[in-house]
Amino acid sequence: MSHFARSTSMLLLVLPLALAAGDSRPTRAASAPPPSKLVLIGTTDLRGETSPCGCHTPRGGFARISSVVDSVRRSGAAMVYLDAGGAFPDLSTRMDLADFMYSALRDMAPGAVGVAPRDLQLGLSAIRRFAADSRLPMTCANLLDRATRAPLFPPTRIVELPGLKVGVFALLGERFELGAARDSVVVIDAESAAHVAVTSLREQGSQVIVLLSQLGRVGGEDLATAVPGIDAVFLGHDVPVLEHGRRVGGSLVSYAGERGQQIGMLQLSLDGAGRVGDGTCDVISLGPDVRQHAAMLARVKQFEDAYNERMRHEQRLAQAADEADTDPIDHFVGGAVCARCHTAEAAQWITTAHSLAWETLVREKKDATPDCIPCHVVGFRKAGGFQSATSTPHLVNVQCENCHGMGTTHGENWVARSGPTEGTCRTCHSAERDPEFDFATRLPLVTHGNTSGESIRNVKARRERYRSGASR
Ligand code: HEC
Ligand code: HEC
Ligand code: HEC
Ligand code: HEC
């Protein structure tokens, strides 16, 4: 059973307690007794990842985050979902994606959302606009507008549950590069901002106080040690995954990693006044065994498919502009040319998964998405390489020249003559896309002597497994 399934069943065990302690009738927050348990779930640094990332074992994606948030919420537990910031993509040209990240986050009804340096890189007006459009409950305690010295977003947020006020504040590192927003904002000292925020949240009656940190691992831990009164911390900004979190000073700290591949889950027990007693922290890994939320999956697909179509259109425009250019002397020729002389290798290549690489992108509707194409074609964006499926149809799939080098240099100083090395494979079977890649065991699956079709059977069997996992 998956880790998530275990965590949920643990959660279900504590549920009757939570319900017994709370009041099932709708009552005003102030009059109800506090629940005996509070569940905090948090993500951070989604970095523009809408879909599962990784090709060998796809992890994460909004549809999985959403299904976890949703099932905890529907369990009836006293819960708050939080995001520590960093949802915006790496590429400053993807305004559409930044906008989508915020609106998809909004669908999961977070109690508060922090701000990361990367969210400021697109400029102040962009984050302001997307925050306003999405109506996300943004917060940051140490980020000011340089012109007015007023906080850019509310310095604290209070999430009211029956019988409980959960106070949330967020902090940004002072020394990080802020890109386009550099000259329009000021980041003030995190520690003094934290003291002010904690005091203000307590004065407003918060029984539980949570920090959304964009201070990095060391910065976040130092702050939790230096500032008393913080019950829980979600650590963001280049923080490694730590499966069971840690206690730092008086705080329980979640290290749930980035890109939405994991979710941090803190379960805090509360006393009669709603003050935090002990607690546990777990990281839920969002692997293929975690169900995908159907409505969110549809929303993500619609956004990504539209992007793929827009890129296809841009390819056509670029192609028309390129038509006048002369072809480079050296270029990729495509496997059909090699096959004229190397018939055995060509016949064997068809029996490997490399011959399916393009079909895969077409099936996923990612055949014009620039993030996906490079490793599934020959010579992407290189002179004489793949341009689009219509202008260079002979260069789709992983072919001879991906491993042996450009065909027009055949017979001269052909570097690939001695056969490709492990490094050649790893340009595509990279740490991000295929972290489980093992050269010694995978090479025999595609080597020219092997015509068994095993590599194709492997990918098809895996695809079936994930599909059945996703429909659960
Ligand atoms: C006109 C026929 C012809 C074509 C087309 C051709 N090759 Fe060759 N290739 C040869 C011959 C003949 C040799 C062996 C003689 C030599 O070492 O130069 C060779 C050698 C090789 C070798 C090196 C074998 C070794 O043991 O060193 C590789 C790899 C190779 N070709 C791959 C390719 C690829 C990839 C293409 C397409 C881009 C291709 N060839 C196109 C005829 C061809
Ligand atoms: C240009 C990028 C690229 C290079 C270089 C490359 N691969 Fe692949 N490989 C892929 C892609 C993409 C797939 C998935 C094809 C599909 O099913 O859509 C794949 C699939 C495979 C598979 C089948 C899936 C599996 O995990 O069993 C094996 C085995 C494999 N590659 C081994 C290798 C080896 C060994 C090398 C180096 C000698 C290599 N590849 C070089 C891109 C590449
Ligand atoms: C850095 C190179 C690289 C990039 C970029 C890349 N892939 Fe892949 N992809 C691979 C490799 C390598 C494999 C084979 C992994 C394996 O099977 O072991 C693969 C396999 C796959 C598979 C599984 C094969 C199958 O037949 O079902 C899918 C699906 C896939 N990629 C989709 C995508 C999508 C969608 C994107 C863009 C979001 C993408 N890839 C970007 C290298 C890449
Ligand atoms: C995934 C990487 C990869 C791809 C794709 C690939 N080769 Fe190879 N090729 C190798 C490796 C590795 C060797 C070294 C010997 C071996 O493992 O078979 C090799 C060896 C060769 C040789 C030397 C003789 C031999 O068979 O050992 C020739 C010729 C050759 N390849 C041609 C081709 C042609 C033609 C294609 C396309 C139809 C192709 N290769 C596609 C990896 C690849």
Side-chain angles (χ1 to χ4, degrees):
M1 203 187 274
S2 72
H3 185 78
F4 170 53
R6 275 202 304 278
S7 305
T8 339
S9 43
M10 261 163 49
L11 197 72
L12 293 177
L13 288 178
V14 307
L15 255 185
L17 282 177
L19 288 175
D23 190 338
S24 52
R25 282 165 301 151
T27 41
R28 294 198 43 241
S31 58
S36 63
K37 281 255 180 205
L38 172 67
V39 182
L40 298 173
I41 50 184
T43 47
T44 181
D45 304 287
L46 297 180
R47 301 183 63 172
E49 297 289 355
T50 49
S51 274
C53 48
C55 287
H56 192 75
T57 310
R59 279 179 197 293
F62 272 123
R64 290 203 176 96
I65 299 175
S66 195
S67 95
V68 174
V69 171
D70 205 48
S71 66
V72 176
R73 191 167 275 142
R74 274 184 301 131
S75 74
M79 70 83 82
V80 182
Y81 166 58
L82 300 162
D83 181 83
F88 282 8
D90 293 334
L91 277 176
S92 58
T93 47
R94 293 295 312 275
M95 287 286 189
D96 62 320
L97 181 52
D99 187 19
F100 181 80
M101 294 305 290
Y102 270 11
S103 75
L105 267 179
R106 183 73 193 88
D107 277 9
M108 299 189 286
V113 174
V115 178
R118 65 170 44 251
D119 305 328
L120 294 165
Q121 308 239 355
L122 302 185
L124 188 55
S125 60
I127 186 172
R128 274 206 163 119
R129 187 167 78 244
F130 298 146
D133 289 353
S134 63
R135 297 186 310 281
L136 272 183
M138 305 294 298
T139 184
C140 193
N142 67 335
L143 179 64
L144 309 183
D145 184 322
R146 189 180 283 271
T148 63
R149 306 292 289 187
L152 211 59
F153 297 111
T156 59
R157 291 266 176 188
I158 294 185
V159 183
E160 296 212 20
L161 302 175
L164 193 68
K165 285 185 176 179
V166 181
V168 186
F169 71 106
L171 293 170
L172 190 64
E174 294 141 59
R175 292 180 313 277
F176 298 132
E177 179 49 48
L178 302 180
R182 199 183 306 117
D183 300 327
S184 24
V185 298
V186 193
V187 180
I188 58 170
D189 178 60
E191 196 175 319
S192 34
H195 281 290
V196 174
V198 170
T199 308
S200 142
L201 285 168
R202 288 282 181 220
E203 277 170 8
Q204 295 171 77
S206 306
Q207 293 118 304
V208 179
I209 293 189
V210 187
L211 164 62
L212 305 177
S213 161
Q214 280 289 343
L215 302 169
R217 176 176 183 161
V218 175
E221 289 173 344
D222 286 354
L223 193 114
T225 315
V227 180
I230 305 171
D231 298 303
V233 181
F234 287 95
L235 275 192
H237 199 100
D238 264 336
V239 174
V241 177
L242 251 180
E243 213 187 323
H244 298 296
R246 280 184 60 197
R247 192 162 271 289
V248 178
S251 319
L252 193 57
V253 183
S254 163
Y255 303 67
E258 57 181 32
R259 294 180 184 272
Q261 305 212 351
Q262 294 84 214
I263 289 190
M265 181 186 279
L266 303 183
Q267 304 194 49
L268 307 174
S269 60
L270 307 178
D271 67 12
R275 294 301 177 104
V276 177
D278 58 357
T280 59
C281 176
D282 288 288
V283 167
I284 302 168
S285 173
L286 301 179
D289 49 347
V290 173
R291 201 177 62 85
Q292 307 211 57
H293 186 279
M296 183 61 94
L297 187 62
R299 204 172 167 214
V300 166
K301 281 256 174 285
Q302 187 187 25
F303 171 76
E304 292 186 348
D305 291 356
Y307 177 64
N308 195 53
E309 285 315 305
R310 204 161 68 242
M311 289 300 105
R312 193 193 308 284
H313 181 68
E314 281 182 20
Q315 266 180 2
R316 278 194 210 109
L317 297 179
Q319 198 181 310
D322 278 358
E323 227 104 85
D325 292 358
T326 48
D327 279 342
I329 297 166
D330 278 330
H331 57 270
F332 294 93
V333 298
V337 173
C338 321
R340 286 180 206 154
C341 302
H342 301 290
T343 45
E345 287 83 2
Q348 181 273 337
W349 172 80
I350 295 173
T351 70
T352 71
H354 290 138
S355 68
L356 299 180
W358 184 251
E359 181 187 309
T360 295
L361 289 192
V362 173
R363 185 185 72 237
E364 303 281 326
K365 296 207 181 79
K366 293 292 189 314
D367 54 326
T369 300
D371 287 358
C372 300
I373 300 173
C375 313
H376 289 248
V377 301
V378 180
F380 179 63
R381 290 208 171 143
K382 291 189 183 138
F386 176 90
Q387 301 300 329
S388 75
T390 42
S391 65
T392 49
H394 58 299
L395 298 181
V396 300
N397 289 320
V398 177
Q399 301 191 35
C400 323
E401 291 162 292
N402 289 104
C403 288
H404 292 294
M406 206 178 249
T408 51
T409 58
H410 188 301
E412 300 161 25
N413 52 346
W414 203 16
V415 279
R417 279 292 286 270
S418 48
T421 60
E422 177 167 356
T424 313
C425 316
R426 286 195 182 275
T427 55
C428 302
H429 293 266
S430 61
E432 193 189 314
R433 293 287 164 187
D434 189 6
E436 287 114 293
F437 184 74
D438 174 37
F439 183 64
T441 55
R442 300 265 202 111
L443 179 62
L445 293 171
V446 293
T447 202
H448 294 308
N450 184 345
T451 54
S452 69
E454 204 179 343
S455 68
I456 290 182
R457 281 198 299 279
N458 287 352
V459 287
K460 288 197 168 159
R462 200 169 60 212
R463 213 184 293 151
E464 273 313 306
R465 267 204 313 283
Y466 293 164
R467 191 172 297 149
S468 56
S471 62
R472 256 192 308 132

